[in-house]
Amino acid sequence: MKDRSKDLLSVEMTDKQFIVFEGGEGAGKTSAIAALAATLKAAGHDVLLTREPGGTPEGLALRALLLAADAPPWDKHAELLLITAARIQHVKRIIEPALRAGKTVLCDRFIASTLAYQGAGRGIPTELIRDLHRRLVGNIQPDLTILLDIDPIIGLARSARRLHSARLDEGRFEALDLAFHAQVRSAFLAIAAATPSVVIDASRPLPDVHTAVTTQVLAWLTA
Ligand code: Z5A
């Protein structure tokens, strides 16, 4: 995170603290991020594990409004503003203080998800999304992004099984058609190619994905 706001500058901070996981539905972010957190904690890192939308009580309330299968038919710009509102709270109240305290922050989704879902998926110009981020959230960008890349046909099937077995009412995005999810996947790959990222084939068995994530992150941390 080389270009954080000036008010973030602190002796404890490095440019290897803010790691974000991205990917389509059912890519395996939740379990991969937990596995990485355990490895980093065992190696002595002070780790904060968080996610979007969510990360704060108000973010969780917005998450429910955004993701419920029977959520209101949000206008795409209203959806963007709700996601941005949740992110502002999350960054100001949770992420920035943790980074200043020297923690390693592992975040499940961040701005690339907005560029992929609201930009490529919903059709909002990415410049508007980037501008909102710069003006309202700040200059915060991930130091490293782990993109778990998955064919949406495989990912959506996994996600449907998880939502069903956990009885989760968060299926609004899963209900969108395959073309939407294919656009989201392409956008994630394009963003990863243009930013500090590693792309991991998430169609492999779970232990292989976890090993690939851990190996790549430990190599990056010590490079
Ligand atoms: N959203 C947005 O539009 N704009 C934004 O800016 C942000 C978000 C931040 C919720 O995200 C939604 O928010 C998201 C976009 C929107 N779309 N949806 N829905 P989320 O990350 O909270 O939800 P998700 O992506 O749907 O979560 P998910 O399906 O749980 O995905 P995951 O965390 O990547 O996967 P998982 O829970 O670890 O695994 C899912 C299931 O697959 C589970 O049963 C696993 O055991 C299984 N799995 C995972 N990996 C494997 C492998 N390798 N083999 C076999 N089975 C596996």
Side-chain angles (χ1 to χ4, degrees), residues 152 156 173-183:
L156 286 167
F173 282 87
E174 278 81 354
L176 295 167
D177 64 23
L178 208 50
F180 178 95
H181 292 285
Q183 275 170 323

Side-chain angles (χ1 to χ4, degrees), residues 11-217:
V11 283
E12 297 98 341
M13 287 174 62
T14 74
D15 61 0
K16 292 196 174 181
Q17 282 179 251
F18 187 28
I19 303 174
V20 171
F21 278 64
E22 299 280 10
E25 282 68 22
K29 293 177 281 79
T30 309
S31 56
I33 206 168
L36 178 63
T39 302
L40 292 181
K41 280 180 191 167
H45 289 257
D46 189 359
V47 175
L48 174 79
L49 188 49
T50 188
R51 70 168 173 171
E52 293 200 349
T56 61
E58 55 277 22
L60 281 176
L62 289 170
R63 179 185 177 92
L65 281 175
L66 283 162
L67 301 188
D70 61 353
W74 294 112
D75 172 87
K76 62 186 178 185
H77 293 112
E79 182 178 89
L80 171 63
L81 291 175
L82 290 177
I83 286 168
T84 305
R87 181 163 301 134
I88 293 167
Q89 292 292 104
H90 190 205
V91 167
K92 304 295 174 197
R93 293 190 46 199
I94 306 292
I95 295 178
E96 286 181 352
L99 293 172
R100 274 196 222 104
K103 292 179 195 277
T104 300
V105 176
L106 304 182
C107 188
D108 191 340
R109 298 195 183 279
F110 198 63
I111 181 67
S113 280
T114 317
L115 292 165
Y117 285 90
Q118 282 63 50
R122 300 284 198 214
I124 297 178
T126 53
E127 196 35 56
L128 173 58
I129 298 172
R130 290 186 196 281
D131 201 38
L132 266 182
H133 186 81
R134 265 193 305 269
R135 287 168 185 264
L136 303 182
V137 183
N139 264 334
I140 184 165
Q141 296 290 341
D143 296 323
L144 181 71
T145 296
I146 309 291
L147 173 59
L148 297 187
D149 177 51
I150 188 88
D151 181 331
I153 294 177
I154 303 173
L156 286 167
R158 286 181 188 168
S159 187
R161 281 196 295 276
R162 185 186 70 89
L163 291 175
H164 181 73
S165 64
R167 300 189 181 189
L168 272 176
D169 179 25
E170 293 191 344
R172 185 156 156 269
F173 282 87
E174 278 81 354
L176 295 167
D177 64 23
L178 208 50
F180 178 95
H181 292 285
Q183 275 170 323
V184 167
R185 182 190 191 188
S186 301
F188 273 133
L189 287 167
I191 295 164
T195 55
S197 304
V198 290
V199 180
I200 288 171
D201 174 3
S203 67
R204 291 180 291 167
L206 211 46
D208 294 2
V209 173
H210 291 181
T211 302
V213 167
T214 304
T215 306
Q216 294 268 9
V217 172

